[in-house]
Amino acid sequence: MEIRIERTGTPKQKPAGALGFGKIFTDHMFEMDYDPENGWHDARITPYHDLVLSPACVVFHYAQEMFEGLKAYRDAEGRVRLFRPDKNIERLNNTNLRMCIPPLPPEDVLQAIRETVLTDESWIPTEPGTSLYIRPFIFATDVGLGVHPSKHYKFLIILSPSGSYYAGGLAPVKIIVEDEYVRAVKGGTGFAKVGGNYAASLIGQEKAEQSGYAQVLWLDGIQHKYIDEVGAMNVFFVIDGKVVTPLLEGNILPGVTRDSTIQLLRSKGYDVEERRISIQEVYDAHAAGRLDEMFGTGTAAVISPVGELNWDGNRITIHNNEIGPISQMLYDEITGIQYGRREDPFGWSMVL
Ligand SMILES: *Cc1c(COP(=O)(O)O)cnc(C)c1O
């Protein structure tokens, strides 16, 4: 694929101080269009700019869109690394299939990510734990209010330098179980990375924050009994030394960090079960003193230990509200591979 590059004549001032997450954007962006005559075409890297769109664009009314999220890391030798981009690209096309968006050739997506990141390489922060967040996304641009898959799309990639998720070390979070609202159901779009899942989750997230909790633990949409996932993270429990995580049944997002966690644990001889796990089982395990650890996994936080769980007013403290040994080991291993500090037996880290 040929990518035309138009460089900005007015580069922005790089931020000084705390970066946060998703607030600052780099000098350039990637753009590509789709129409039925030309397929995906006109790949270009342009100065970061606002878009002009018709108010009748399909995406605004019927939410035909998708997104991905991954990071670029600067290693100790100054090289730029990605972590398992093939998995994100595979998931991008799985989401597209569900959303009736035309698939993209995987090698073109990788090339788009690589060239865009390298164009704005100077924006990759170097402080420990920082990275360049990569946000590819696609949306429907047909003009009209009829309900049917769009015939025109835009594929964009924007980049955002992001700070260390744990400025003060790997701190446990408080999570509240949501038993009124649901995020997704089997047969719906839970396994697809789409904005609609997040739109449906905002009300639960608001409720959680109002009660002083960081995130929501979502239960299955039918019985409100089995655990799905946490906000933008997959979830794991350590019970009696065994690691348990909800299986992929169509209602949860197949996280790249989830998959990496399972593979790493198995390679180290841990027993990992992918199965349904009810919230009652977690509380029973806690009551019996068998719940050793709970943690979330996702690109943003990598591993997020859970220190407190609240289910309908019943609060439990997990691992004394401290980081457990498995959570810490996984965090060290995965970030070690991402930043090229540790041996990478799986070949997950890609030098650009
Ligand atoms: C992106 C996402 C995750 C985490 O996936 P990773 O590939 O590990 O970043 C988990 N749950 C939801 C709902 C997500 O959108």
Side-chain angles (χ1 to χ4, degrees):
M1 175 175 73
E2 177 141 14
I3 303 179
R4 180 162 55 82
I5 301 184
E6 182 196 331
R7 284 175 191 276
T8 181
T10 52
K12 292 182 261 195
Q13 186 84 35
K14 303 268 190 327
L19 294 168
F21 174 77
K23 292 198 285 248
I24 299 154
F25 297 94
T26 63
D27 283 324
H28 298 89
M29 62 198 264
F30 175 85
E31 283 183 84
M32 193 176 189
D33 299 305
Y34 179 91
D35 64 44
E37 301 75 45
N38 302 296
W40 286 108
H41 66 283
D42 197 14
R44 58 211 188 267
I45 291 169
T46 54
Y48 187 93
H49 62 270
D50 290 344
L51 303 173
V52 177
L53 294 166
S54 161
C57 259
V58 164
V59 65
F60 296 136
H61 305 276
Y62 307 124
Q64 196 193 4
E65 64 86 47
M66 65 78 57
F67 68 96
E68 265 303 326
L70 67 163
K71 287 171 167 178
Y73 311 86
R74 179 78 73 183
D75 72 16
E77 281 77 50
R79 289 172 300 196
V80 181
R81 291 172 178 270
L82 299 179
F83 183 72
R84 307 187 74 187
D86 49 307
K87 294 292 287 180
N88 292 90
I89 294 166
E90 183 190 315
R91 189 170 66 192
L92 176 147
N93 274 328
N94 288 339
T95 300
N96 280 8
L97 197 61
R98 178 65 179 81
M99 300 305 286
C100 299
I101 298 171
L104 274 146
E107 61 280 8
D108 289 354
V109 181
L110 183 60
Q111 187 193 351
I113 292 171
R114 169 194 274 123
E115 293 197 24
T116 312
V117 167
L118 291 178
T119 300
D120 278 339
E121 202 188 326
S122 63
W123 282 86
I124 305 174
T126 52
E127 292 291 302
T130 61
S131 56
L132 184 70
Y133 185 77
I134 305 166
R135 169 55 60 89
F137 60 110
I138 304 171
F139 56 91
T141 56
D142 264 12
V143 173
L145 302 181
V147 179
H148 50 73
S150 180
K151 291 187 165 59
H152 298 79
Y153 298 88
K154 264 188 182 302
F155 171 39
L156 269 57
I157 303 173
I158 55 175
L159 308 171
S160 175
S162 68
S164 173
Y165 198 85
Y166 299 104
L170 201 58
V173 293
K174 290 167 65 175
I175 303 276
I176 190 162
V177 180
E178 175 57 61
D179 47 18
E180 178 188 3
Y181 301 111
V182 298
R183 190 193 82 97
V185 289
K186 211 165 152 179
T189 54
F191 70 91
K193 212 164 172 76
V194 300
N197 292 337
Y198 281 84
S201 78
L202 294 175
I203 193 165
Q205 181 65 27
E206 281 289 289
K207 217 171 105 182
E209 282 173 26
Q210 277 158 18
S211 334
Y213 286 82
Q215 295 221 28
V216 170
L217 180 64
W218 297 101
L219 301 180
D220 81 88
I222 293 163
Q223 301 182 69
H224 295 204
K225 181 175 166 188
Y226 297 104
I227 290 165
D228 271 356
E229 59 180 313
V230 172
M233 288 191 291
N234 295 113
V235 68
F236 287 75
F237 302 88
V238 184
I239 299 173
D240 269 341
K242 218 185 256 182
V243 184
V244 186
T245 192
L247 80 166
L248 304 176
E249 288 188 286
N251 42 338
I252 66 171
L253 206 281
V256 178
T257 323
R258 174 189 181 276
D259 183 78
S260 309
T261 296
I262 294 171
Q263 282 195 53
L264 257 173
L265 286 168
R266 288 191 176 143
S267 77
K268 291 183 179 297
Y270 287 92
D271 216 338
V272 184
E273 291 179 352
E274 292 178 75
R275 62 168 171 85
R276 286 189 183 167
I277 175 166
S278 69
I279 184 67
Q280 187 65 54
E281 179 184 343
V282 171
Y283 271 67
D284 289 348
H286 179 266
R290 298 188 298 114
L291 178 63
D292 306 328
E293 294 182 44
M294 172 179 174
F295 56 89
T297 65
T299 296
V302 189
I303 301 291
S304 182
V306 176
E308 185 192 313
L309 204 53
N310 182 335
W311 178 29
D312 211 11
N314 297 310
R315 293 157 63 164
I316 58 174
T317 299
I318 302 164
H319 204 85
N320 203 24
N321 202 24
E322 286 163 9
I323 302 128
I326 294 181
S327 307
Q328 185 71 55
M329 177 277 287
L330 287 165
Y331 182 81
D332 294 343
E333 281 287 334
I334 296 174
T335 56
I337 294 172
Q338 287 170 336
Y339 287 89
R341 289 189 299 260
R342 291 212 177 184
E343 215 188 309
D344 178 16
F346 308 97
W348 285 342
S349 186
M350 174 189 278
V351 175
L352 281 190

